[in-house]
């Protein structure tokens, strides 16, 4: 069997039927689908079971709620395919996703992770768009420097819904780091990319759904440092001296991702310690100036921006519901 598709599932009843349907409708039929219900409290598992009934290449397994990393790892553990693909239960694929990834693998067999571009869907804001991944203009497919591409626009070139990984590489890396609540997928991608070749197809074949309720998304929440990807890179510290591209990327992620921690009473010291690692001379003047402003001012500004975003979202939702 060529592909194993793993869908972690937790309270995604409004979306899971579409996600599963996009897998079952793949033009490539050489796959198995494994859905891992992570202790859902709604009827997600029942809906998923109905979708896969009669499909011998599909199964649903259940676990007590343990998080998406554990769910994906457990799905892989019972799978048999040579290549592993992952799809979140609120996202979906183009019908040719597996077919085109298979062609990519055949053309570049020495790579250790394969990714495609993806479409960001936000119908509420009517801003559906192809992700502005930082590949060169006119780039169609081939090897990429993952760190350079990611750092260019900070739009993820590899996501948990648009990659294929050889099973041998996944096992070598130990799978997804368990317990991480933000960026568990990034931690796996970066470990692979710093050691092996990355191939990218600049064609949107997956759909990243941003119309999901904010509470069910990892992005936008403040987690304790032990659950955040930026505090779990200790084993890669050597690359900050050895790999300039990695250093540029990780510093960009720090200065852009740690402001909410920097201004918080609870996590300020932890953020400050992490920000001490940044090469500030290479950061934009705007960023350097921002971090030098008084904490009280930054907190007020952040609060106003957050309230404004919430009001805007409510107004857009009300307008959209009347159309």
């Amino acid at each position: 069997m060529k592909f194993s598709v793993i869908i972690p599932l937790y309270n995604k009843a409004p979306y899971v039927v579409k996600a599963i349907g996009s897998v079952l409708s793949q033009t490539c039929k050489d796959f198995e689908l494994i859905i891992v219900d992570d202790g859902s409290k709604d009827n997600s598992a029942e809906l998923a079971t109905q979708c896969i009934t009669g499909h011998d290449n599909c199964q649903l397994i259940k676990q007590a709620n343990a998080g998406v990393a554990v769910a994906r790892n457990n799905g892989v553990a019972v799978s048999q395919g040579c290549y592993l693909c992952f799809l979140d239960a609120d996202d979906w694929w183009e019908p040719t996703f597996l077919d085109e990834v298979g062609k990519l693998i055949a053309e570049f067999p020495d790579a250790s992770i394969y990714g495609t571009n993806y479409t960001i869907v936000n119908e509420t804001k009517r801003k559906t768009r192809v992700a502005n991944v930082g590949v060169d203009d006119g780039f169609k497919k081939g090897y990429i420097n993952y760190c350079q591409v990611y750092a260019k626009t900070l739009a993820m070139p590899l996501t948990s819904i648009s990659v294929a990984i050889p099973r041998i590489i996944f096992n070598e890396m130990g799978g997804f780091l368990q317990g991480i609540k933000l960026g568990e997928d990034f931690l796996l991608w970066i470990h692979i990319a710093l050691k092996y070749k990355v191939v990218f197809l600049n064609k949107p074949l997956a759909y990243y759904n941003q119309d999901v309720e904010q509470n069910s998304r990892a992005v936008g929440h403040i987690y304790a440092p032990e659950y955040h990807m930026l505090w779990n890179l200790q084993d890669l510290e050597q690359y900050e001296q050895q790999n300039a591209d990695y250093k540029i990327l990780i510093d960009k992620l720090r200065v852009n991702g740690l402001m909410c921690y920097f201004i918080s009473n609870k996590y300020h010291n932890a953020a400050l310690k992490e920000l001490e690692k940044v090469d500030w001379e290479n950061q934009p003047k705007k960023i350097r100036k921002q971090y030098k402003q008084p904490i009280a001012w930054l907190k007020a500004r952040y609060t106003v921006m957050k309230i404004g975003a919430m009001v805007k979202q409510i107004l857009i939702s009300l307008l959209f519901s009347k159309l």
Side-chain angles (χ1 to χ4, degrees), residues 17 20 57 77 107 135 149-150 156 181 196 205 210 232 240 267 291 295 304 309-310:
V17 172
I20 294 173
N57 61 333
E107 188 171 354
V135 293
V149 170
Y150 194 175
M156 302 174 291
K181 295 183 179 180
Y196 297 114
L205 296 173
Q210 290 191 336
N232 284 274
E240 295 200 43
Y267 299 123
Y291 271 98
I295 297 292
V304 170
M310 290 173 60

Side-chain angles (χ1 to χ4, degrees), residues 200-216:
F200 184 75
L201 174 64
N202 193 20
K203 184 175 182 179
L205 296 173
Y207 292 87
Y208 172 36
N209 181 16
Q210 290 191 336
D211 286 322
V212 181
E213 292 182 5
Q214 187 65 32
N215 288 338
S216 66

Side-chain angles (χ1 to χ4, degrees), residues 24-318:
L24 297 180
S25 63
Q26 288 294 297
T27 53
C28 169
K29 301 302 181 184
D30 191 9
F31 72 87
E32 64 175 345
L33 171 60
I34 298 170
I35 303 163
V36 184
D37 181 61
D38 187 29
S40 293
K41 297 178 182 178
D42 63 5
N43 64 333
S44 294
E46 290 78 6
L47 291 171
T49 299
Q50 293 173 16
C51 289
I52 65 175
T53 298
H55 295 272
D56 294 337
N57 61 333
C58 303
Q59 62 173 306
L60 182 143
I61 63 176
K62 293 188 175 185
Q63 65 179 38
N65 182 250
V68 66
V70 176
R72 292 192 187 120
N73 289 344
N74 285 342
V76 170
V78 301
S79 68
Q80 300 179 10
C82 298
Y83 293 88
L84 306 170
C85 299
F86 304 92
L87 181 64
D88 291 344
D90 48 16
D91 300 317
W92 64 95
W93 285 340
E94 283 283 352
T96 59
F97 177 82
L98 291 179
D99 243 336
E100 302 213 39
V101 169
K103 292 175 183 177
L104 204 63
I105 292 170
E107 188 171 354
F108 302 95
D110 60 340
S112 290
I113 189 166
Y114 303 84
T116 81
N117 209 335
Y118 52 96
T119 298
I120 299 172
V121 179
N122 195 322
E123 294 180 351
T124 303
K125 294 183 179 180
R126 295 192 171 184
K127 288 186 177 180
T128 297
R129 57 185 172 82
V130 175
N132 182 26
V133 175
V135 293
D136 295 334
D137 292 341
F139 180 90
K140 293 184 177 179
K141 60 181 175 180
Y143 300 109
I144 63 169
N145 181 319
Y146 173 76
C147 292
Q148 280 187 0
V149 170
Y150 194 175
K152 189 173 181 180
T153 64
L154 290 186
M156 302 174 291
L158 301 175
T159 77
S160 58
I161 66 169
S162 60
V163 300
I165 307 172
R167 176 180 297 275
I168 190 172
I169 298 298
F170 184 90
N171 290 339
E172 177 189 331
M173 297 296 167
F176 294 98
L177 184 59
Q178 299 182 9
I180 303 300
K181 295 183 179 180
L182 181 66
E184 80 292 330
D185 49 354
F186 167 76
L187 291 176
L188 180 55
W189 313 155
I190 193 62
H191 279 81
I192 296 173
L194 288 173
K195 190 173 181 180
Y196 297 114
K197 293 180 180 180
V198 178
V199 167
F200 184 75
L201 174 64
N202 193 20
K203 184 175 182 179
L205 296 173
Y207 292 87
Y208 172 36
N209 181 16
Q210 290 191 336
D211 286 322
V212 181
E213 292 182 5
Q214 187 65 32
N215 288 338
S216 66
R217 297 177 61 201
V219 177
H221 296 277
I222 295 181
Y223 298 107
E226 60 265 30
Y227 301 132
H228 193 295
M229 66 183 188
L230 290 176
W231 276 279
N232 284 274
L233 294 165
Q234 297 89 342
D235 62 323
L236 298 181
E237 287 182 356
Q238 59 179 327
Y239 287 97
E240 295 200 43
Q241 287 75 45
Q242 300 172 359
N243 188 317
D245 295 323
Y246 173 73
K247 177 60 174 174
I248 291 171
L249 170 62
I250 209 63
D251 278 355
K252 276 195 171 185
L253 291 174
R254 283 171 176 148
V255 299
N256 283 276
L258 293 180
M259 176 56 75
C260 58
Y261 291 84
F262 179 73
I263 65 176
S264 74
N265 294 329
K266 188 174 183 179
Y267 299 123
H268 172 77
N269 290 335
L272 196 61
K273 185 175 181 180
E274 196 65 27
L275 288 165
E276 288 174 354
K277 301 175 183 178
V278 172
D279 184 353
W280 286 101
E281 291 184 359
N282 288 328
Q283 303 311 307
K285 184 178 180 180
K286 181 180 179 181
I287 292 290
R288 298 200 305 268
K289 183 178 179 181
Q290 189 176 21
Y291 271 98
K292 289 180 180 179
Q293 292 176 343
I295 297 292
W297 165 252
L298 290 172
K299 283 184 177 181
R301 182 173 178 269
Y302 181 79
T303 300
V304 170
M305 289 176 61
K306 189 173 182 179
I307 293 173
M310 290 173 60
V311 171
K312 183 179 178 181
Q313 182 66 38
I314 292 171
L315 291 174
I316 291 173
S317 299
L318 290 172

